[in-house]
Amino acid sequence: MNNPALQQLTDQELLQRFKTDNNSDWIGVLFDRYALLLLGMCMKYLKNEEDARDAVQQIFLKVLSDVHKHEIQYFRAWIYQVAKNYCLMQLRQQHMKFKEEISDKHMGGIAAEDNDKRVYQEKDILLENMEQAMNLLSPEQKICVQLFYLQKKSYQEIADQTGYSLLQVKSYIQNGKRNLKILLEKQQRANKS
């Protein structure tokens, strides 16, 4: 369903179509819009690319199963919340594994909780910044970065899919990654001042 006309549909229209005919392709189009951002969010929480990729897959399955249960006004806000809750649950489960090894007095009690909240708020800001930065990349860089990092496509697969040469694909990915880093650093400095 890689149809340009589908890209013109709003999140709300895609959701409505899915709820009407239960065709998961509608959700697939929606998910593609936010998948790279969700991967970034999961990376920030879980600190591990493989865990983050697994998390994005699990979040997609959860969205498919839960979307009918909710009246969703803003899909983007809703899917971020689903992703955030999933990551926090993963962290909580990891924490439970280590809880036997570390007593509460070593954790620093309330101070540790406040620190966690601050870290999560910073991660939410970083996710917002990532979305803004992605939108500032050239279309060629954006699509190549998405295909390479999110869909795990090889340089050759990206070249076949986009029509760019291998050299162009490598260049777009390298430049896109560098530009993202520069844009995120600028945004961080702006947020601090």
Side-chain angles (χ1 to χ4, degrees):
M1 273 199 139
N2 203 0
N3 178 340
L6 291 179
Q7 300 308 323
Q8 304 304 313
L9 295 173
T10 65
D11 291 357
Q12 229 30 52
E13 288 167 333
L14 287 164
L15 258 184
Q16 206 45 58
R17 288 183 183 204
F18 175 69
K19 288 187 173 188
T20 303
D21 67 12
N22 224 15
N23 182 342
S24 61
D25 286 343
W26 303 120
I27 291 290
V29 173
L30 257 178
F31 204 74
D32 283 347
R33 285 183 186 172
Y34 298 107
L36 191 64
L37 298 172
L38 292 178
L39 181 65
M41 179 183 201
C42 294
M43 284 284 289
K44 297 302 164 205
Y45 280 104
L46 304 176
K47 307 274 192 230
N48 173 307
E49 189 172 349
E50 196 173 319
D51 290 346
R53 287 183 190 281
D54 289 345
V56 171
Q57 291 300 318
Q58 292 306 313
I59 291 162
F60 179 67
L61 295 174
K62 187 161 178 52
V63 167
L64 272 177
S65 68
D66 288 2
V67 77
H68 285 292
K69 301 176 192 170
H70 302 279
E71 252 333 292
I72 301 164
Q73 296 299 315
Y74 301 101
F75 182 79
R76 178 182 164 209
W78 181 76
I79 198 171
Y80 282 176
Q81 197 55 53
V82 169
K84 183 176 176 181
N85 290 345
Y86 180 86
C87 290
L88 291 175
M89 190 59 84
Q90 294 300 108
L91 291 173
R92 222 170 274 136
Q93 287 171 357
Q94 287 174 7
H95 176 70
M96 293 307 282
K97 287 178 194 169
F98 298 121
K99 199 170 182 182
E100 292 82 32
E101 298 168 30
I102 303 170
S103 71
D104 284 343
K105 65 181 177 190
H106 291 111
M107 288 299 289
I110 295 164
E113 279 180 34
D114 288 345
N115 196 32
D116 285 349
K117 281 182 197 165
R118 185 183 53 74
V119 168
Y120 293 139
Q121 286 167 345
E122 284 173 6
K123 286 173 181 171
D124 283 346
I125 290 167
L126 196 67
L127 180 63
E128 282 295 315
N129 289 348
M130 172 75 93
E131 180 178 15
Q132 291 167 8
M134 280 296 293
N135 289 330
L136 294 173
L137 292 180
S138 73
E140 297 86 1
Q141 289 175 3
K142 185 175 177 182
I143 191 73
C144 288
V145 166
Q146 285 176 328
L147 290 170
F148 186 73
Y149 288 105
L150 188 69
Q151 296 181 24
K152 296 184 181 176
K153 302 271 188 199
S154 69
Y155 289 148
Q156 187 59 57
E157 288 171 323
I158 296 169
D160 293 343
Q161 189 171 333
T162 60
Y164 304 138
S165 71
L166 273 178
L167 202 59
Q168 285 174 311
V169 168
K170 287 179 186 175
S171 174
Y172 290 142
I173 290 170
Q174 287 172 346
N175 292 335
K177 187 177 170 186
R178 188 185 66 240
N179 289 340
L180 268 180
K181 188 176 178 199
I182 291 166
L183 290 164
L184 286 170
E185 285 169 357
K186 275 186 193 168
Q187 287 169 333
Q188 277 185 319
R189 283 197 298 274
N191 287 339
K192 286 179 182 172
S193 56

